[in-house]
């Protein structure tokens, strides 16, 4: 009887960030050889892209949750969870600029 392998769970954002910080420390130490440095660098780039994708996804969710219409009422819309981690340019291109806040609006989180 063979054991079914359990699927590996994706590391959380915090775990990915910790791994990325460890890689940066290793690369800054300069004690790794060229091949190992390159392997660690590639892993770091993958982690960095994952972190950016998570942050972008979270930012989209926050924008949806805090969006108001002209009457100050919350705007309810289904969340499109299809995201890309291609480039920063692509993810910033579709972002709206927020109107400047008044002093009263600037005092709180919402």
């Amino acid at each position: 009887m063979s054991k079914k392998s359990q699927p590996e769970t994706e590391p959380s954002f915090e775990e990915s960030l910790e791994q990325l910080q460890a890689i940066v420390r290793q690369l800054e130490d300069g004690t790794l050889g060229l091949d190992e440095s390159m392997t660690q660098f590639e892993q770091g780039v993958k982690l960095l892209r994952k972190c950016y994708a998570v942050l972008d996804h979270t930012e989209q969710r926050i924008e949806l949750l805090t969006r108001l219409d002209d009457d100050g009422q919350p705007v309810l819309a289904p969340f499109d969870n299809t995201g890309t981690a291609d480039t920063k340019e692509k993810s910033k291109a579709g972002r709206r600029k927020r109107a400047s806040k008044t002093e009263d609006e600037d005092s709180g989180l919402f």
Side-chain angles (χ1 to χ4, degrees), residues 41-63:
F41 179 77
E42 289 171 349
Q43 180 65 24
V45 169
K46 288 177 187 177
L47 288 168
L48 185 61
R49 286 182 180 160
K50 179 184 185 262
C51 288
Y52 275 131
V54 170
L55 289 173
D56 191 48
H57 178 76
T58 302
E59 182 181 28
Q60 289 174 7
R61 290 180 62 198
I62 290 170
E63 283 183 16

Side-chain angles (χ1 to χ4, degrees), residues 58-68 74-76 110:
T58 302
E59 182 181 28
Q60 289 174 7
R61 290 180 62 198
I62 290 170
E63 283 183 16
L64 284 176
L65 292 170
T66 60
R67 199 175 299 170
L68 301 175
V75 175
L76 303 176
F110 296 104

